[in-house]
Amino acid sequence: MAEHQIGIRELVEFLRRSGDLSPATSSENTAREGSRIHRKLQHHRPETYQSEVALKTSFDYLDDSYVISGRADGIDLGNDKALIEEIKTSDLAFDTLPESTLKLYWAQVKVYSYIYMQDKSIDTIDMQLTYVQTPDEQITIRKQPIDLTEATKFFDALIKEYQEWIKLRHELDERRIKSARHLKFPFSNYRAGQHQLAANVYKTIALEKHLFVEAPTGTGKTISTLFPAIKSMGEALINRIFYFTAKQSTRHVAENTIGIMADKGLTIKNITLTAKDKIIFDQERDLAPEENPYMVGYYDRIRPAIKDIIQNEDQITKPLIQKYAQKHQVDPFEFSLDVSLFCDVIICDYNYLFDPQVHLQRFFSVPDKQNCFLVDEVHNLVQRSREMYSATLTASPIDPLVSQLAKKKAANSKVIKSLQSLKRSFRRYSKPAATTDDQQIAQLAPLDNFNNTLGDLIEVIHEWLATQKPGETVDAVVDYYLQCRSYYLISQFYDDTYRTRIIIDDHTIIFRQFCMDPSKQIQASLNLGRAAILFSATLSPIAYYQRVLGNEPDSLCMISASSFPKQNCQVIIANNINTLYANRNNSIKPICDTIFTLISQKAGHYMIFFPSMAYLTMVRDQFGQQHPDVQILSQQAEMDNTARIDFLNEFRTDPQQTKVGFALLGGIFSEGIDLKNDQLIGVGIVSVGLPGMNKESDLIRDYFDQLNGQGFSYAYQLPGFNNVSQAAGRVIRTDEDKGVIVLMDQRFNQTRYRQIFPKHWTNIEVSNNQTQLKKELNNFWKNGNR
């Protein structure tokens, strides 16, 4: 008999929550602030008062035991009748609380009262709701008596309703476990390296470890990670998989992979979470919550909506979520989050786990060994995570806000005063930057007094917002308020891995808390699950990624073998090209000559990648003048989705006609695109991809130089080379593909670069001039031409 733990608060909120989905009913109080108020009130209670009383009861259902537990804020035995107290804190006035919120509060106390009366064999008790409105800590107390008969009736009805959900979950679990246990690998055989990868993923889950995997294109990394993770479900090692991605295209691959396994008998629920602005209905966008029909009464309709979609659908995608949300008149974004609680595989963006601003509290508030994390394209997480744990705040909005608020100066005086105080703080701390030549500094010390002033402003604005009606001024204040909250949240993580950048730019002041090394935060996020598999086609050198994405001494790693025939890809280093910035103008002619030599040996489609748009433009223009008969395609500085599709479609037609695409390293066409067979037969990469010298990369360099002596490598060389690897990966996509990669920079022939080449780059030649390059290309195409 398995034992399941259920929190009293979670139970009540799920079954008894009603009314509207509205930010007006939520509180800005942090857990720390709420705990402080609780302790303060409990401290002043009489000696007969017991604080934080643990209560629990249990029931058996469907051969399992369910333990319902929680902590009553306080129980007082000083009078003839026992009193049980629940303390709630919020910034809303008590008389403005919705009736649905009060019912929820009382429901929680009723459960506590039932358990206590049962345990102590008493017939009646007084329930007390103590409500504290912050920030002024105005206290409202309400009391209600309840007897055991009434409490029992309430509790029994609650459990009876909950058992319906248990039964649904039980049926889903049985289906998942049974089908996962019997699931066979959905293809006739494993590709090279695929079986070993799948075995290592399964072992990683069993051993509760973190595994870093470089799985070259063609390995089938999606099926090789999802399949063993699902098999571990069949052995009851885990019951939920999170598949994290950086791009929509890889989400579709994960969906399709689950669909393939579903066709082979797998019956699980999977859902893809879509960003709020991309899934909500158009008619919602300009409506206030209290006017939004999908939010008003949301909690009155949500439970039937969840049952409907869960009982009728297995693969829950954006169109299905919107279909059922429309049917039940619920907000599609919040609906998707609520439905995800009943799903076995959740496909979503990185930020739902790693970003402290938006991570899913319902899953990641405490560690859960039943969760497994699959992190695809994890090379993207390095820069993404730095941004997640960095924050920027500028002083420029303050004066316009003060001017707007001054139109009603008396009513807005507290906000005006707090904004002006923040402006003074900006000025005070920016004085050292004003004395430097480039008007900026970076320091280790946090701006504690500035952050305290910011915290005061946040409290004042939040209190002010509760009394305001929608309008342009309120919208402007809210925009800045959200920026302030974000900056203040990040200040809570500040330590020696941060630097505070203070910048005076264009007559404004910018403060930026820059996180150089978020490995500690990533490790904490990964530890919220049983196991994590972090994988990418480009993860060389793998030790670097282990360091910056968790820095755990016991993390595991593997480099999966490529499934493609080694002879199908030829890497050539053009050793005659110097792309250093000082030599850039001189490099244009040899690059143009190299491109023409590359495309002249075999007609077909080629793509040339550049480190900057300026460099791309110079080479493209000269190449076009020298070879006007060659069809040129070029990435533009700004391209909408239609323009991107049109660009790629050019490569999907006329495979025997020579076309040359000019694109950016690290750009939209250098990863995540799939041009198979004759659609792309050659790639040229100009430069080693080093990011341009900049202040923040210099900070990363200096930080890691002090830490491990690898500052330049961590800040410039390895991030740049990952862009190179990704671009090179565009040319070989299937077992039948054959193509060339020409590395146009003599630095690629240096040991410090050769030693970090991916393991599957096995056929490597060096050319010192166009004659040698032509010979190498001819040899390649002649020895196995398609």
Side-chain angles (χ1 to χ4, degrees):
M1 176 181 287
E3 184 176 280
H4 304 271
Q5 302 291 329
I6 307 167
I8 290 173
R9 180 175 177 177
E10 290 74 19
L11 175 72
V12 169
E13 287 194 349
F14 178 67
L15 294 176
R16 288 295 176 264
R17 194 163 194 177
S18 61
D20 304 342
L21 173 65
S22 172
T25 63
S26 65
S27 170
E28 290 297 312
N29 293 319
T30 63
R32 182 182 301 175
E33 177 67 4
S35 297
R36 182 192 67 78
I37 293 172
H38 277 59
R39 290 193 299 271
K40 180 178 177 181
L41 291 174
Q42 291 163 343
H43 179 71
H44 290 91
R45 295 295 187 251
E47 292 182 0
T48 53
Y49 185 92
Q50 301 174 18
S51 301
E52 303 298 326
V53 180
L55 298 169
K56 70 177 180 178
T57 188
S58 64
F59 65 92
D60 296 337
Y61 187 64
L62 297 178
D63 299 324
D64 282 344
S65 176
Y66 294 84
V67 178
I68 300 173
S69 62
R71 287 185 176 272
D73 291 327
I75 296 178
D76 190 355
L77 305 175
N79 298 317
D80 294 337
K81 190 195 301 184
L83 179 143
I84 191 162
E85 180 180 41
E86 177 66 14
I87 302 170
K88 296 294 185 183
T89 62
S90 170
D91 33 44
L92 300 178
F94 183 80
D95 57 6
T96 66
L97 287 175
E99 184 64 26
S100 58
T101 301
L102 287 172
K103 285 183 178 179
L104 200 62
Y105 290 166
W106 284 117
Q108 191 174 339
V109 193
K110 286 179 181 179
V111 175
Y112 290 143
S113 300
Y114 164 78
I115 297 174
Y116 189 78
M117 284 190 284
Q118 283 280 24
D119 285 349
K120 301 301 181 183
S121 299
I122 58 178
D123 295 327
T124 184
I125 196 171
D126 281 335
M127 301 184 298
Q128 178 170 304
L129 173 62
T130 302
Y131 180 81
V132 184
Q133 180 192 356
T134 58
D136 297 331
E137 296 188 13
Q138 297 180 14
I139 299 173
T140 303
I141 295 175
R142 295 289 186 269
K143 289 184 181 180
Q144 290 183 15
I146 191 170
D147 59 35
L148 182 58
T149 301
E150 181 185 352
T152 301
K153 182 179 179 181
F154 175 83
F155 183 79
D156 287 348
L158 200 69
I159 298 306
K160 183 178 180 181
E161 183 178 351
Y162 193 62
Q163 285 174 343
E164 295 179 18
W165 292 97
I166 292 175
K167 183 179 179 183
L168 174 61
R169 181 73 264 180
H170 185 77
E171 291 169 351
L172 296 176
D173 289 346
E174 283 193 329
R175 285 201 322 163
R176 179 192 70 235
I177 293 170
K178 182 179 179 181
S179 67
R181 186 173 293 153
H182 290 94
L183 180 68
K184 304 297 183 184
F185 191 68
F187 301 106
S188 57
N189 52 59
Y190 286 93
R191 294 179 182 175
Q194 202 169 40
H195 187 274
Q196 187 61 52
L197 173 54
N200 285 348
V201 169
Y202 187 90
K203 291 175 184 176
T204 299
I205 295 170
L207 295 172
E208 302 183 21
K209 295 288 187 178
H210 299 161
L211 172 67
F212 287 78
V213 180
E214 181 175 77
T217 300
T219 306
K221 59 184 184 296
T222 308
I223 187 65
S224 302
T225 53
L226 269 171
F227 174 71
I230 288 170
K231 290 298 291 181
S232 73
M233 285 179 160
E235 301 304 320
L237 295 177
I238 58 172
N239 61 23
R240 185 176 282 117
I241 298 167
F242 289 88
Y243 194 101
F244 297 106
T245 73
K247 294 182 175 64
Q248 188 172 348
S249 57
T250 45
R251 278 168 233 168
H252 292 324
V253 172
E255 290 172 347
N256 293 337
T257 301
I258 294 172
I260 290 169
M261 289 185 279
D263 291 341
K264 300 293 184 178
L266 178 66
T267 52
I268 63 171
K269 303 290 180 182
N270 67 280
I271 188 170
T272 302
L273 299 181
T274 305
K276 184 174 184 175
D277 64 333
K278 293 182 179 179
I279 196 171
I280 63 171
F281 298 124
D282 289 340
Q283 56 267 40
E284 289 187 87
R285 295 188 186 278
D286 298 323
L287 292 178
E290 60 272 15
E291 298 173 352
N292 186 336
Y294 300 96
M295 290 187 175
V296 175
Y298 174 89
Y299 291 109
D300 301 324
R301 300 184 295 274
I302 187 58
R303 286 178 286 276
I306 293 172
K307 275 190 179 178
D308 192 8
I309 194 170
I310 288 296
Q311 290 175 335
N312 290 289
E313 309 292 348
D314 284 340
Q315 288 195 273
I316 303 172
T317 57
K318 174 184 172 182
L320 278 176
I321 291 166
Q322 290 180 318
K323 172 186 172 182
Y324 281 84
Q326 190 68 262
K327 175 182 177 181
H328 292 273
Q329 287 287 287
V330 292
D331 176 78
F333 177 70
E334 292 294 334
F335 178 48
S336 69
L337 297 182
D338 287 333
V339 171
S340 70
L341 288 165
F342 293 87
C343 292
D344 310 302
V345 181
I346 299 172
I347 303 167
C348 57
D349 189 86
Y350 296 153
N351 59 10
Y352 286 113
L353 173 63
F354 297 103
D355 193 331
Q357 312 273 2
V358 297
H359 80 282
L360 295 176
Q361 284 281 355
R362 66 191 67 206
F363 292 117
F364 306 132
S365 57
V366 295
D368 187 346
K369 290 293 184 68
Q370 296 299 309
N371 290 337
C372 173
F373 304 145
L374 305 181
V375 190
D376 197 356
E377 294 182 318
V378 73
H379 64 276
N380 286 303
L381 186 57
V382 179
Q383 185 57 32
R384 281 276 299 270
S385 61
R386 284 198 180 108
E387 283 305 311
M388 288 174 186
Y389 283 92
S390 299
T392 303
L393 192 66
T394 175
S396 57
I398 294 178
D399 284 342
L401 285 177
V402 169
S403 296
Q404 284 181 270
L405 291 164
K407 295 173 182 177
K408 296 182 179 179
K409 192 170 185 178
N412 302 329
S413 60
K414 289 182 69 175
V415 179
I416 293 171
K417 183 178 178 182
S418 293
L419 284 167
Q420 290 172 333
S421 179
L422 186 68
K423 180 181 177 180
R424 289 192 296 271
S425 195
F426 263 113
R427 286 178 172 173
R428 180 164 62 252
Y429 284 104
S430 65
K431 286 179 180 178
T435 64
T436 64
D437 291 339
D438 56 358
Q439 299 281 282
Q440 59 179 289
I441 61 170
Q443 64 184 48
L444 170 60
L447 305 180
D448 290 334
N449 289 336
F450 176 84
N451 293 336
N452 291 336
T453 302
L454 187 64
D456 293 340
L457 172 64
I458 291 168
E459 284 192 12
V460 168
I461 291 179
H462 189 75
E463 183 180 359
W464 175 83
L465 285 173
T467 65
Q468 302 302 304
K469 295 180 180 180
E472 289 185 9
T473 299
V474 170
D475 290 344
V477 172
V478 166
D479 285 345
Y480 195 55
Y481 164 72
L482 294 175
Q483 296 173 42
C484 291
R485 281 185 58 195
S486 176
Y487 189 93
Y488 188 76
L489 171 64
I490 294 302
S491 73
Q492 312 303 306
F493 295 96
Y494 201 100
D495 59 14
D496 60 1
T497 66
Y498 278 81
R499 295 295 181 269
T500 297
R501 299 189 63 208
I502 301 174
I503 306 161
I504 301 173
D505 181 49
D506 195 23
H507 307 295
T508 191
I509 302 165
I510 302 167
F511 287 177
R512 177 162 165 80
Q513 298 172 118
F514 176 56
C515 182
M516 302 170 293
D517 179 15
S519 58
K520 182 170 63 177
Q521 289 89 337
I522 292 173
Q523 181 187 96
S525 295
L526 294 175
N527 286 339
L528 291 170
R530 176 190 179 101
I533 293 83
L534 304 95
F535 53 99
S536 172
T538 57
L539 219 59
S540 296
I542 207 162
Y544 159 72
Y545 289 96
Q546 286 178 285
R547 169 59 187 83
V548 296
L549 296 174
N551 194 28
E552 294 180 297
D554 62 344
S555 66
L556 309 175
C557 67
M558 74 167 290
I559 298 175
S560 184
S562 174
S563 65
F564 298 148
K566 296 178 180 179
Q567 65 272 19
N568 281 15
C569 181
Q570 178 69 66
V571 178
I572 303 173
I573 300 172
N575 200 38
N576 59 311
I577 295 177
N578 177 356
T579 69
L580 291 174
Y581 190 79
N583 193 61
R584 187 149 292 185
N585 288 333
N586 295 330
S587 73
I588 294 175
K589 184 180 184 306
I591 291 173
C592 289
D593 293 343
T594 299
I595 295 172
F596 188 69
T597 301
L598 169 63
I599 68 174
S600 297
Q601 310 317 305
K602 181 176 175 60
H605 299 168
Y606 297 83
M607 200 174 291
I608 315 298
F609 292 95
F610 294 82
S612 71
M613 185 60 74
Y615 207 175
L616 180 157
T617 302
M618 288 190 294
V619 175
R620 180 199 64 203
D621 290 350
Q622 182 158 326
F623 184 84
Q625 291 173 9
Q626 291 178 357
H627 308 285
D629 295 335
V630 176
Q631 182 177 352
I632 291 175
L633 310 166
S634 182
Q635 179 176 343
Q636 303 300 315
E638 294 184 9
M639 300 178 75
D640 60 20
N641 191 53
T642 301
R644 296 179 190 181
I645 292 172
D646 289 345
F647 180 90
L648 290 175
N649 282 343
E650 286 288 341
F651 288 88
R652 297 187 171 110
T653 58
D654 306 319
Q656 301 308 316
Q657 178 184 346
T658 295
K659 300 178 183 180
V660 183
F662 288 76
L664 287 175
L665 270 175
I668 53 178
F669 301 117
S670 66
E671 64 175 288
I673 64 167
D674 210 18
L675 297 173
K676 298 177 180 178
N677 303 317
D678 289 330
Q679 293 175 352
L680 187 68
I681 64 169
V683 162
I685 298 172
V686 177
S687 88
V688 292
L690 294 179
M693 299 292 287
N694 63 84
K695 295 290 185 180
E696 293 194 349
S697 292
D698 285 350
L699 288 173
I700 296 169
R701 178 198 62 199
D702 295 343
Y703 171 81
F704 281 105
D705 262 343
Q706 289 187 342
L707 203 64
N708 59 17
Q710 299 187 65
F712 178 79
S713 179
Y714 277 33
Y716 288 101
Q717 182 191 13
L718 296 177
F721 188 74
N722 185 271
N723 290 335
V724 170
S725 299
Q726 282 289 324
R730 298 313 97 206
V731 76
I732 302 293
R733 309 301 296 175
T734 73
D735 290 343
E736 292 76 33
D737 283 14
K738 189 169 191 234
V740 294
I741 301 165
V742 178
L743 305 175
M744 303 183 198
D745 193 310
Q746 59 192 205
R747 284 173 290 183
F748 282 116
N749 204 33
Q750 297 173 357
T751 301
R752 63 174 175 163
Y753 277 97
R754 294 288 290 259
Q755 68 186 6
I756 63 172
F757 279 7
K759 300 294 184 185
H760 60 277
W761 285 9
T762 53
N763 295 335
I764 303 173
E765 299 292 344
V766 179
S767 73
N768 293 300
N769 51 55
Q770 300 306 316
T771 301
Q772 287 184 341
L773 177 62
K774 182 177 179 180
K775 179 181 177 182
E776 295 295 344
L777 290 168
N778 275 328
N779 287 340
F780 173 73
W781 291 120
K782 183 173 64 176
N783 297 332
N785 199 352
R786 284 176 289 185

